[in-house]
Amino acid sequence: MNSNLHVFDTPEDTARAVAGFILDNVRKKVKQSLPFNIALSGGSTPKLLFDILSNEYAESIPWHFVRLFWVDERCVPPTHIESNFGMTYEHLLKNVPIHEANIFRMQGEENPEVEAKRYQELMERELTIHDGFPRLDFVLLGMGDDGHTASIFPNDMSLLKSDTAVGVGTHPVSGQKRITLTGLTLEQASEVVFLITGPAKAGILSEIIHQKPGYVNYPASYMRSSSGAAEFYLDKEAASLL
Ligand code: 6PG
């Protein structure tokens, strides 16, 4: 199996392996006395990871080195049930000693186009720029069962190659607007890590990994990091067709 595929028995084992990989990457930056810039996805899959980071890594990760960004955010207030920030606060931020000044929230309550521009300017101020795009150390991605990632959906693939670092996506079913990092920003990251669990993603994941006909229609298939392939952390159900 490809070296960038990491398969574990259970969703919990998979999430714990990602937590360990995050710790390894934080330590690399700490050794250079540099901050660790990470962007998180939302949805439901990361909840288990965030709980493990809260319960098992609150002491071991030097959280004062961590600067937190988002991969995407639904255009709702942070208190809304669908807010990625709200979910991250409940499962992680309220449990770990990350400095508030190091939490760079996408403001889903604002006008989408205005917020996308603000967040892009913020990232360009806070991060180093490579090939015209801000570079994160680590990006945590999920994948929808339609092959979307971040809030880049199959109905708007232009966000993959947008010349802006942050854009506005539209959920194809609900029509909900979302702020999202665009493809070239995601690909600038030093590490791009998918956390994918459960049987619902197995079919599309197989199409992407085996480059079956039509795989190019899935935004997740384009993801890679500045140093090479994206890393896939999968439970055995998600990997069952690989
Ligand atoms: C979001 C996420 C999105 C997510 C996938 C998978 O805002 O929903 O950033 O890209 O990673 O939709 O979502 P689940 O983890 O809920 O399956």
Side-chain angles (χ1 to χ4, degrees), residues 176-198:
Q176 184 185 63
K177 292 293 182 188
R178 301 191 174 181
I179 313 299
T180 185
L181 301 188
T182 55
L184 296 180
T185 301
L186 295 169
E187 292 177 13
Q188 262 312 322
S190 303
E191 288 290 355
V192 173
V193 175
F194 279 99
L195 172 57
I196 303 173
T197 60

Side-chain angles (χ1 to χ4, degrees), residues 41-46 72 74 84 142-144 148-151 178 201:
S41 282
S44 55
T45 305
D72 62 342
R74 289 84 178 274
N84 286 340
M143 184 184 74
H148 82 262
T149 192
S151 283
R178 301 191 174 181
K201 320 283 177 78

Side-chain angles (χ1 to χ4, degrees), residues 147-183:
H148 82 262
T149 192
S151 283
I152 305 175
F153 293 95
N155 65 341
D156 189 359
M157 304 280 273
S158 66
L159 287 168
L160 286 168
K161 298 299 178 196
S162 167
D163 57 7
T164 58
V166 184
V168 178
T170 305
H171 192 284
V173 176
S174 67
Q176 184 185 63
K177 292 293 182 188
R178 301 191 174 181
I179 313 299
T180 185
L181 301 188
T182 55

Side-chain angles (χ1 to χ4, degrees), residues 40-46 50 70-72 74 84 87-88 140 142:
L40 300 175
S41 282
S44 55
T45 305
F50 296 168
W70 268 262
V71 167
D72 62 342
R74 289 84 178 274
N84 286 340
M87 180 276 285
T88 310
L140 177 73

Side-chain angles (χ1 to χ4, degrees), residues 85-113:
F85 173 83
M87 180 276 285
T88 310
Y89 178 81
E90 283 305 314
H91 288 268
L92 179 63
L93 300 184
K94 71 178 189 181
N95 306 317
V96 296
I98 188 168
H99 293 175
E100 199 163 325
N102 289 342
I103 298 174
F104 302 98
R105 181 175 71 87
M106 279 181 178
Q107 296 173 0
E109 68 275 24
E110 300 299 337
N111 170 282
E113 300 297 342

